[in-house]
Amino acid sequence: KERSHDAVIEPPVRQKAARIRERYRELRLEMEGGYAVVFRAYDEGAAYRLETSLPQGEVKVYGEEVALNFADNYTVYYPQEESLFSHNERHYLPRPLKEIAPAAFATLPAVVDAGGVKVAVAESDVEDYPGLWLRGTGASGLAAMFPPYPLKEAMAASDGKTSDRDFKVTEAADYIAVTKGTRTFPWRLLGIAERDGDLITNPLVYLLASPSRVRDTSWIKPGKVAWDWWNANNVHGVDFKSGINTETYKYYIDFAARHGIEYVVLDEGWYKLGNVLEVVPEIDVEELVAYGRRKNVGIILWVIWKTLDDQLEPALDQYAKWGVKGVKIDFMQRDDQKVVNFYHKVCREAAERRLLVDYHGGQRSVLMTRTWPNIVSNEGVRGLEWSKWSADAEPEHNVTLPFTRMFLGPMDYTPGAMVNASQKSFAKIFETPMSLGTRAHQLAMYVVYESPLQMLADSPSNYLREPEAMQFLSAVPTVWDETRVLDGKLGDYVVVARRSGREWYVGAMTDWTRRELEVDFSFLPAGAFRMEAYQDGANADRFGSDYKKVSRQVSKADRLKIGLAPGGGWAARLRP
C-alpha cells in the first residue's frame, strides 16, 4: 500500500520553527503471519518501522536486527559508551567505521560522513520498548543492540552507604521487552544532510514521534531559568549566609524578576534525600512559590527519579498544590523498557497537573517532545557542568554538539558562564567554576543551542556585575519562529540565525582555531535593522572574558566580516 502526505504542523512549543512542513511518501508492506513494515521517504531523510498484529495479547521480544551497511569505510562521529548504565554525556569523536569493533557500543545519534553527505542515525516514537543503541561490526557498518529487560534492580552502594540515585539492573532477562502482540514499534531513521548545517534544521525525529497527548497546551510556558547548582549557590555582597536556604533563593528570584527570567530552579538539597515530600528546615517552598508569584517568577524543583517514582502521585499532587511550575528529574542513567515507560508515565501525570518536565541523567526522553510538549528540555549531553571537574566542555566539543546530539531535540547544555578562560588559564574549580572559551562563545550558545527551558548557569552576583551581557541574556528568547543556518562545519564552527517575531538573533561559535567568517544578512526582510553585537575582545585569546559590544545599522544587502578568537564566538540581536 502506498500513500503520500503533505501538511504543515504547528508545534505547541516551538523549537526550530513555528511551522514545520511534514511531507513524505509511504510504502506499507503487509506480511503473512501478522507482520508489516512501513517505509517513509522525506526530503530530509528516510525511516522505517515494524508492526505486529499477533493473536497473543502479550509477547516477549527477544531481539531486533538493525543492520546499516555503508558503501565505504566512512568516518562516523561516534558517541561511544562504557556501559548501558549511563547519563549519555559523550564526546562525538570521528572514527573510521571499520575500526569500531562489535564490542564498541554507542548512544545516539551516530553521524556518518558518507562522502560529503552526512547521515544521522537515530530513532523516534519509542514507547513500551527499550532505546536503540549502536555497535560496530568490524566492517563498513553499524548494528543495533538493546538493553535487556530488567528482572531485578537495586541501589548501588558507595563507601559503605546506599546511594539514593544509582538504581541499577542486577539481573536481566534474555529478552528486551514484554509488550502487546498488536502494536507499532519505534521508527529507525536516517537524517540526510547535503550541508552540515542541514542537520541543525532537520525535523525528522520530531515529525516521526506520536502527536501531542496534551490537549490543552496553553499553560506550557518556555523561558529562561536561574540555576543554583553550577555556581554552588555562591552569591556575595549580601547580608545573609548564602547556601541552600530561603533567603538565598529569594535573592535568585529577585534577580530573575529584575531581568525578566521566568523561572528559578531549586536543585539538590531542598528535600531530604530519600523523601521528595520532606523539605529541609532551611527551605520554605510555599513561601518561595508565593514570593515568586508576586514577582512573576516560577519555581522548578529538582528530584531523583527513583525517589519520585516511589512517591509519584502524592509528590506531584503536593507540588501542584504548592504552585510549583515544573520538575527537573535526574539520574535515570538507563533506557530499558521499564525506564522508557517511566518517562511516559511521569509526563502524563505531570501534564494532568500542569507541570513542566526537564529530564537530566539520560537521553532517550528527548525523543518524546512532540508527544509530551511539557518536556521543555532534556540533558543527555556533556554540558557546562563538566567544567566543574574537567576540561571536557571545550569549544571543539561545543561546535560538534549542534550537528550531533542536538539532532535528537532540545539540549540542556546549561550555558551562561561569566568567568571565561583560555586553555592556558583554565582551572577546574567545583565551587566557583569557569568555562573554556570566550564570553562571546557563551552568549552565542543561547542562539545556537535549542532548549525551550534555557538555563543561566552562573551566580546572580556574577550576572549583576555584567549589565551589558545581561541586556542580551534578558532579551534572547528560548523558542523560535524560524531558523536559518548561515554556515557551519561539524566540529569546526557554526553560524545560526533565528527569528522570534520581528527580531532576529545570530550566534557564531568556533573551535580553538581563530577564524574570520562572513555573516550574510540576506535572510532579513526589507528595511533597516539596528544590530547590537557582542564580539571577542582584542585580548580574548588570553583573557576569555574580554568582549566588546558594538552597535550599527544593517540591512539585507549587507555582508559583515566577523573575527572569532580561538574558542571564540559572536552574538547579535537585530531589531527593526
Side-chain angles (χ1 to χ4, degrees):
K1 298 177 180 178
E2 294 187 40
R3 73 183 181 100
S4 297
H5 176 83
D6 194 351
V8 173
I9 66 170
E10 297 183 1
V13 177
R14 307 182 310 281
Q15 294 170 21
K16 303 177 192 296
R19 294 163 61 85
I20 303 174
R21 189 173 186 183
E22 185 176 40
R23 181 169 69 147
Y24 58 82
R25 292 185 63 193
E26 183 179 280
L27 172 66
R28 177 184 173 86
L29 300 174
E30 296 181 355
M31 316 296 187
E32 291 181 356
Y35 296 89
V37 59
V38 179
F39 295 93
R40 284 186 187 175
Y42 294 76
D43 290 338
E44 302 91 351
Y48 74 89
R49 82 184 319 169
L50 302 170
E51 298 182 9
T52 54
S53 50
L54 303 175
Q56 304 98 309
E58 187 176 87
V59 296
K60 289 178 180 175
V61 179
Y62 283 85
E64 178 188 340
E65 182 178 338
V66 181
L68 304 169
N69 301 304
F70 292 88
D72 206 344
N73 184 27
Y74 295 132
T75 295
V76 56
Y77 290 82
Y78 197 65
Q80 187 165 329
E81 295 270 9
E82 298 165 8
S83 166
L84 288 171
F85 186 71
S86 172
H87 291 271
N88 308 132
E89 300 171 6
R90 313 307 293 177
H91 280 127
Y92 290 80
L93 299 177
R95 298 180 62 185
L97 282 166
K98 287 184 178 179
E99 291 185 10
I100 303 174
F105 57 92
T107 185
L108 298 179
V111 178
V112 179
D113 187 346
V117 174
K118 299 297 193 298
V119 180
V121 181
E123 67 174 342
S124 188
D125 207 26
V126 183
E127 186 169 8
D128 199 31
Y129 203 71
L132 165 70
W133 293 57
L134 300 171
R135 62 175 178 82
T137 63
S140 297
L142 296 169
M145 61 179 282
F146 296 89
Y149 187 83
L151 295 176
K152 294 181 181 178
E153 303 155 279
M155 283 292 180
S158 177
D159 298 328
K161 298 179 181 178
T162 301
S163 167
D164 67 315
R165 59 201 64 188
D166 293 336
F167 193 56
K168 293 186 174 182
V169 178
T170 56
E171 184 181 337
D174 60 348
Y175 47 86
I176 64 172
V178 181
T179 189
K180 295 176 182 176
T182 298
R183 61 163 293 173
T184 60
F185 288 84
W187 288 101
R188 312 307 177 199
L189 69 91
L190 303 173
I192 314 294
E194 288 187 294
R195 301 184 315 138
D196 288 9
D198 295 339
L199 290 165
I200 295 173
T201 53
N202 191 306
L204 267 193
V205 172
Y206 188 87
L207 292 177
L208 286 162
S210 293
S212 174
R213 295 178 190 165
V214 183
R215 290 184 180 179
D216 175 17
T217 57
S218 61
W219 57 273
I220 300 174
K221 304 294 184 186
K224 293 187 286 288
V225 190
W227 185 33
D228 56 345
W229 185 84
W230 190 76
N231 59 77
N233 300 78
N234 261 315
V235 302
H236 46 83
V238 296
D239 295 326
F240 56 85
K241 191 71 173 174
S242 67
I244 299 171
N245 57 56
T246 299
E247 283 186 293
T248 299
Y249 286 113
K250 284 186 175 181
Y251 181 84
Y252 278 79
I253 291 169
D254 289 342
F255 160 73
R258 176 175 171 180
H259 292 285
I261 295 165
E262 290 83 355
Y263 301 101
V264 167
V265 66
L266 275 60
D267 213 287
E268 183 171 11
W270 72 268
Y271 71 89
K272 292 185 178 179
L273 294 180
N275 185 349
V276 294
L277 288 166
E278 189 176 358
V279 183
V280 298
E282 297 84 3
I283 294 277
D284 188 329
V285 174
E286 288 184 274
E287 183 180 344
L288 288 172
V289 170
Y291 188 77
R293 186 184 296 118
R294 293 195 296 271
K295 298 189 171 235
N296 205 29
V297 176
I299 298 295
I300 292 172
L301 299 177
W302 174 93
V303 290
I304 292 285
W305 82 277
K306 183 60 173 70
T307 317
L308 176 68
D309 195 32
D310 290 342
Q311 303 174 283
L312 185 62
E313 292 195 24
L316 295 184
D317 285 342
Q318 183 64 70
Y319 302 163
K321 182 181 177 182
W322 282 341
V324 166
K325 297 298 184 183
V327 284
K328 176 181 172 182
I329 305 171
D330 209 347
F331 280 92
M332 290 75 63
Q333 305 173 84
R334 289 165 42 193
D335 55 20
D336 50 62
Q337 183 187 13
K338 280 188 174 182
V339 175
V340 166
N341 289 347
F342 165 83
Y343 290 136
H344 285 278
K345 175 178 67 176
V346 167
C347 290
R348 181 177 62 251
E349 296 292 336
E352 287 179 3
R353 296 160 177 82
R354 297 194 163 198
L355 292 170
L356 307 175
V357 178
D358 175 17
Y359 279 117
H360 276 229
Q363 184 191 79
R364 205 62 52 165
S365 49
V366 73
L367 309 175
M368 305 170 186
T369 56
R370 183 181 183 186
T371 309
W372 301 108
N374 55 323
I375 301 178
V376 281
S377 199
N378 205 104
E379 198 191 32
V381 62
R382 188 167 298 208
L384 189 67
E385 69 174 7
W386 280 73
S387 62
K388 289 168 72 77
W389 58 79
S390 77
D392 282 3
E394 51 81 39
E396 184 175 354
H397 170 69
N398 297 342
V399 294
T400 301
L401 291 175
F403 307 93
T404 53
R405 163 61 184 83
M406 205 169 78
F407 179 82
L408 301 179
M411 189 172 75
D412 202 4
Y413 180 97
T414 67
M418 292 291 106
V419 179
N420 317 106
S422 66
Q423 285 173 294
K424 288 183 178 180
S425 61
F426 176 77
K428 297 170 285 186
I429 307 174
F430 196 87
E431 291 280 318
T432 54
M434 63 188 73
S435 72
L436 273 159
T438 71
R439 171 70 55 79
H441 188 87
Q442 287 286 310
L443 296 180
M445 290 178 179
Y446 288 85
V447 184
V448 175
Y449 291 171
E450 291 167 12
S451 179
L453 195 72
Q454 188 68 277
M455 300 281 173
L456 273 72
D458 217 326
S459 166
S461 300
N462 287 348
Y463 289 123
L464 292 170
R465 292 204 314 264
E466 301 284 351
E468 278 194 344
M470 282 311 303
Q471 289 172 8
F472 182 84
L473 293 176
S474 297
V476 66
T478 64
V479 289
W480 306 97
D481 295 322
E482 189 177 351
T483 297
R484 305 275 189 95
V485 182
L486 306 184
D487 199 0
K489 185 178 179 183
L490 195 163
D492 289 344
Y493 63 92
V494 63
V495 187
V496 177
R498 299 190 194 262
R499 178 178 64 83
S500 176
R502 297 178 64 207
E503 293 191 8
W504 284 85
Y505 288 77
V506 181
M509 300 164 61
T510 183
D511 58 6
W512 288 118
T513 301
R514 183 188 298 275
R515 296 184 192 276
E516 186 178 81
L517 301 174
E518 183 177 80
V519 178
D520 180 348
F521 289 101
S522 59
F523 61 85
L524 292 172
F529 279 74
R530 183 69 176 173
M531 182 182 77
E532 294 175 337
Y534 296 75
Q535 63 191 39
D536 292 325
N539 296 295
D541 59 331
R542 297 178 61 200
F543 182 70
S545 299
D546 185 27
Y547 76 94
K548 184 178 182 181
K549 182 185 176 188
V550 296
S551 299
R552 59 168 288 181
Q553 186 172 294
V554 295
S555 73
K556 65 184 302 175
D558 284 315
R559 310 284 187 274
L560 179 65
K561 298 278 193 197
I562 60 171
L564 278 63
W570 187 86
R573 180 187 187 188
L574 295 91
R575 288 178 279 182

